[in-house]
């Protein structure tokens, strides 16, 4: 090779190496310069070191809170998958102490059945236990223990038991408030603190008062009867509501509460309210027979039942009659002293209840004169009035509360909101008694059909549909309020529930007696 050609070759090699170097350096810059993206306008941007990228991947502060809450919620659920809720639907002062009704629910949100439960509530010194229902209740030292009764010993997974109630008397209101925070659940004798995950979609919910408020009566009205009509009063011969509009109470009467205590329950009243259109329950407490209040009855137990009835009706926004059910005692003067104590206690306990009505003597009979009844009324009414100045009071009338015409001649004077009882059994009492009603009404006497049925006066025998219809013509014509005898499954015509049906609430039409079917249709306007 010549020198000239070798010099040319060298130059070419140097040029190639220089170009290659430039290309390699350029490629290296491209390859190692990090992540690239395009901005909105299509220019390449370099975000590898920008703080923006880090923030985008992290949760927002809002999400972080939610996550924290969820974590907390899970921890709480762990403690609370089965627990007690205590609330107080009512409290009242009594001789300088505080009485309260405490309602307990056990919520089982867990995936398994819970048995052998016990609620323990620590109470203040000096607290006493007055009554209880749907639980076996004892006060041991400073602990109230509530154990199951035969029908609520097991709480299925994802369900709850309610309607356990006690009435206590504590030194102060603060003690009651403290009690409400002190409910603990024991299972199998151990303080329960388990956590089990809840099966999807099976979580039980706590029944609240608001649920009650939202339930609708069978008829068009929304809201409870008491929500809509409030405190009632008597104007002329009519009951009027809080707006001064005529109002009619349509109710059922219990049988003797000592006789059939199981029907004094909130679910039963709710069935009557929601499925029958009933706005009133009468609580009949016999004074003289079958565990009568003034004879062989347990006074504390009977007052507990009255209270259970009053509280149930109140929570459901229904009106309620406390009935001093004299019958075999003939004359209300016989147990007047007991009656005075009873009505003093009732009217003071329920002084702030605007839905409670007092019936002070069911049916004077056996020749008891109106003078005797009137003088009894003149002693009882001021006792009630001292506590409950406006409550409606129903006074019985002679001859099993038929002689309203006699009372109309000489009514009790000096008090508002007094009404007079007319009772009828349609197969026995016909035109003669209806005439007494029209006579009394035309004399301006307010009458209340606080007990009736459509069979004969024994509470049994055949139904007289024709007379029943004539009675209801009169009732509707004069806007009379009424309560039908009786809520039980006793094997007699007047019972509203079939003798073969043992349910104490939630009846279907098939569970009702012939009288029950007729009454429900009558109230619903189907007859
Ligand atoms: C009846 C009951 C019956 C009970 C009897 C007791 O229906 O089961 O054995 O009392 O005496 C009334 C009374 C009411 C009666 C009813 C029917 O207020 O207590 O109930 N009746 O006899 N007045 C007229 C009829």
């Amino acid at each position: 090779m010549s020198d000239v050609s070798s010099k040319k070759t060298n130059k070419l090699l140097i040029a190639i190496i220089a170009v290659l170097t430039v290309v390699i350096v350029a490629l290296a810059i491209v390859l190692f310069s990090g992540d690239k993206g395009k901005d909105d306008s299509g220019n390449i941007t370099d975000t590898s070191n920008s703080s923006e990228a880090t923030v985008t991947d992290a949760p927002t502060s809002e999400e972080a809170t939610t996550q924290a809450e969820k974590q907390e919620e899970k921890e709480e659920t762990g403690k609370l998958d089965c627990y007690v809720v205590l609330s107080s639907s009512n409290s009242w002062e009594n001789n300088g102490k505080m009485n309260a009704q405490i309602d307990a629910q056990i919520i089982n949100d867990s995936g398994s059945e819970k048995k052998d439960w016990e609620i323990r509530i620590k109470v203040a010194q000096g607290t006493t236990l007055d009554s209880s229902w749907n639980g076996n209740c004892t006060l041991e030292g400073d602990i109230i223990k509530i154990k199951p009764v035969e029908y609520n010993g097991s709480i299925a997974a994802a369900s709850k038991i309610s309607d356990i109630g006690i009435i206590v008397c504590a030194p102060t209101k603060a003690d009651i408030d403290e009690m409400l925070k002190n409910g603990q659940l024991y299972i199998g004798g151990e303080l329960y603190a388990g956590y089990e995950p809840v099966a999807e979609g099976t979580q039980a919910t706590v029944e609240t008062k608001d649920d009650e408020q939202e339930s609708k009566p069978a008829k068009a009205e929304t809201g409870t009867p008491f929500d809509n009509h409030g405190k009632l009063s008597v104007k002329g011969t009519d009951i009027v509501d809080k707006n001064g509009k005529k109002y009619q109470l349509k109710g059922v009467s219990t049988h003797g509460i000592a006789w059939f205590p199981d029907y004094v329950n909130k679910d039963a009243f709710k069935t009557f309210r929601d499925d029958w259109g009933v706005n009133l329950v009468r609580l009949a407490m016999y004074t003289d027979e079958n565990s009568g209040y003034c004879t062989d009855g347990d006074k504390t137990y009977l007052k507990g039942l009255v209270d259970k009835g009053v509280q149930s009706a109140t929570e459901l926004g229904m009106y309620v009659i406390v009935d001093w059910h004299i019958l075999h005692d003939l004359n209300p003067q016989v147990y007047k002293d007991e009656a005075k104590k009873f009505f003093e206690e009732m009217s003071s306990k329920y002084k702030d209840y605007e839905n409670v009505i007092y019936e002070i003597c069911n049916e004077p009979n056996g020749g008891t004169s109106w003078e005797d009844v009137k003088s009894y009324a003149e002693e009882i009414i001021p006792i009630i009035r001292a506590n409950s100045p406006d409550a409606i009071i129903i006074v019985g009338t002679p001859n099993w509360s038929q002689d309203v015409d006699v009372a109309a001649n000489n009514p009790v004077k000096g008090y508002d909101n007094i009404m007079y009882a007319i009772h009828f059994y349609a197969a026995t009492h016909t035109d003669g008694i209806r005439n007494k009603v029209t006579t009394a009404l035309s004399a301006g006497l307010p009458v209340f059909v606080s007990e009736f049925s459509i069979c004969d006066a024994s509470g049994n025998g055949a139904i007289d549909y024709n007379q029943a219809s004539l009675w209801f013509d009169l009732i509707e014509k004069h806007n009379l309020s009424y309560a039908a005898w009786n809520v039980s499954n006793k094997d007699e015509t007047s019972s509203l529930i079939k003798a073969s049906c043992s349910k104490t609430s939630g009846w279907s039409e098939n569970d009702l007696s012939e009288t029950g079917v007729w009454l429900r249709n009558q109230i619903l306007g189907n007859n």
Side-chain angles (χ1 to χ4, degrees), residues 255 259 286 289 325 327-328 362-363 400 425 451 457-459 485-486 490 492 494:
H255 197 289
W259 222 312
Y286 281 88
E289 56 197 297
H325 201 82
L327 191 61
H328 285 185
N362 168 51
E363 290 184 355
W400 296 275
Y425 283 74
E451 189 186 297
S458 71
W485 186 260
N486 73 77
K490 190 173 176 185
E492 62 181 6
S494 57

Side-chain angles (χ1 to χ4, degrees), residues 240-454:
V240 295
D241 71 5
K242 62 178 177 186
N243 303 313
K245 289 220 173 82
K246 282 188 191 182
Y247 188 55
Q248 187 182 27
L249 291 169
K250 304 173 185 191
V252 289
S253 173
T254 66
H255 197 289
I257 53 172
W259 222 312
F260 290 97
D262 294 348
Y263 294 90
V264 183
N265 77 76
K266 188 170 162 187
D267 286 343
F269 295 6
K270 191 168 190 294
T271 305
F272 284 120
R273 185 193 69 175
D274 295 349
D275 188 46
W276 296 47
V278 156
N279 53 19
L280 166 76
V281 176
R282 176 187 192 234
L283 302 168
M285 187 185 72
Y286 281 88
T287 48
D288 184 73
E289 56 197 297
N290 264 281
S291 303
Y293 186 86
C294 304
T295 50
D296 54 338
D298 173 342
K299 288 191 171 54
T300 308
Y301 169 70
L302 289 169
K303 282 186 281 194
L305 275 175
V306 170
D307 194 62
K308 187 181 176 195
V310 171
Q311 303 306 345
S312 301
T314 305
E315 284 164 25
L316 293 163
M318 299 171 82
Y319 297 88
V320 59
I321 298 178
V322 176
D323 165 37
W324 183 254
H325 201 82
I326 68 158
L327 191 61
H328 285 185
D329 30 350
L330 315 180
N331 188 324
Q333 300 281 353
V334 172
Y335 295 119
K336 185 173 65 188
D337 290 342
E338 294 281 14
K340 283 176 164 177
K341 277 190 239 154
F342 177 78
F343 283 111
E344 152 58 23
E345 196 176 329
M346 294 300 116
S347 59
S348 111
K349 196 191 267 191
Y350 305 126
K351 67 178 183 328
D352 297 324
Y353 288 56
E354 297 183 330
N355 60 329
V356 176
I357 296 169
Y358 301 96
E359 184 167 358
I360 61 175
C361 52
N362 168 51
E363 290 184 355
N365 64 90
T368 300
S369 66
W370 170 240
E371 283 62 40
D372 262 6
V373 180
K374 190 181 172 208
S375 86
Y376 165 83
E378 283 166 347
E379 288 194 61
I380 303 293
I381 293 170
I383 290 171
I384 298 175
R385 280 287 172 264
N387 296 314
S388 304
D390 306 315
I392 293 179
I393 297 173
I394 304 169
V395 182
T397 53
N399 275 316
W400 296 275
S401 285
Q402 291 164 25
D403 289 353
V404 280
D405 53 338
V406 178
N409 280 334
N410 182 17
V412 177
K413 301 233 165 52
Y415 303 99
D416 293 330
N417 302 325
I418 306 292
M419 302 188 82
Y420 297 82
I422 172 73
H423 291 178
F424 71 84
Y425 283 74
T428 305
H429 309 123
T430 61
D431 278 341
I433 315 294
R434 280 193 291 273
N435 288 340
K436 285 172 176 281
V437 175
T438 39
T439 304
L441 288 169
S442 18
L445 195 83
V447 303
F448 195 127
V449 185
S450 52
E451 189 186 297
F452 80 97
S453 189
I454 55 174

